[in-house]
Amino acid sequence: MDATTTPSTDSLISQLAADFPDIAFKSKDTFEWDASTATVLYDPTDTLYAERTLHEVSHAALKHTSYDKDIDLIAMEREAWQLAKTSLGPKYNVNIAADVIEDDLDTYRDWLHARSTCPSCEATGIQVKKQGYRCVSCQASWRVNEARICALRRHLTQ
Ligand SMILES: [Zn+2]
Ligand SMILES: [Zn+2]
């Protein structure tokens, strides 16, 4: 565990830790909500650390654990940003700009587009199971990797 945090990070995190006693907060090099251990991982060096930390806490508050369809993951990401912007942001004096949210959701839209495009004919496929798609045009089917809530940015290069 890396305990190195800046003073400003500390004040937001200690406020959050007091208000959400059931959540553990851990400084790391990424942002993630780990429902299995009820832990929010945050990166104190990120320029959007306050926004992204509130986003992760929103996943926790909304009890997001897992999803069946990729489209559900995008809905969860949107929902978490919505709560962060309208509820947690005003409470902790963090103004979350609309384009921060849109840029983040764009990474999910790009990801979904890449996953759902048929590798044979490039038509858009439908998701038939958690890690499988089928093309409605040429009937090809293909597998996709499992994606974790909020850890997408690190997987986009795959
Ligand atoms: Zn196809
Ligand atoms: Zn998220």
Side-chain angles (χ1 to χ4, degrees):
M1 191 195 313
D2 179 8
T4 328
T5 52
T6 63
S8 63
T9 322
D10 278 346
S11 68
L12 177 63
I13 297 298
S14 58
Q15 260 183 290
L16 287 167
D19 294 344
F20 295 90
D22 296 339
I23 303 175
F25 290 86
K26 261 190 205 173
S27 167
K28 241 193 155 200
D29 60 352
T30 188
F31 291 89
E32 196 178 317
W33 160 238
D34 182 350
S36 64
T37 58
T39 302
V40 163
L41 304 178
Y42 64 95
D43 178 357
T45 65
D46 192 291
T47 50
L48 294 171
Y49 109 84
E51 288 92 330
R52 295 195 187 286
T53 301
L54 293 186
H55 171 90
E56 301 307 329
V57 173
S58 298
H59 277 303
L62 291 162
K63 306 199 185 310
H64 287 163
T65 51
S66 63
Y67 63 96
D68 291 326
K69 294 281 172 73
D70 292 344
I71 197 85
D72 298 333
L73 176 59
I74 297 187
M76 284 162 62
E77 295 305 328
R78 182 186 299 282
E79 212 187 340
W81 276 122
Q82 194 62 27
L83 185 71
K85 184 176 176 62
T86 60
S87 172
L88 298 181
K91 187 172 175 193
Y92 296 97
N93 289 314
V94 177
N95 177 43
I96 302 178
D99 44 333
V100 166
I101 297 175
E102 285 311 308
D103 285 354
D104 188 66
L105 291 176
D106 273 347
T107 65
Y108 286 90
R109 295 184 190 109
D110 292 347
W111 164 81
L112 180 62
H113 180 72
R115 281 161 83 88
S116 61
T117 300
C118 173
S120 321
C121 77
E122 299 195 349
T124 300
I126 54 166
Q127 192 171 14
V128 290
K129 55 187 177 186
K130 189 167 166 84
Q131 289 177 253
Y133 276 83
R134 193 177 64 231
C135 179
V136 290
S137 178
C138 76
Q139 306 303 320
S141 48
W142 62 97
R143 285 178 59 79
V144 290
N145 293 334
E146 184 161 16
R148 291 158 72 197
I149 296 170
C150 267
L152 266 191
R153 283 180 299 278
R154 311 188 73 76
H155 296 286
L156 279 177
T157 51
Q158 283 181 0

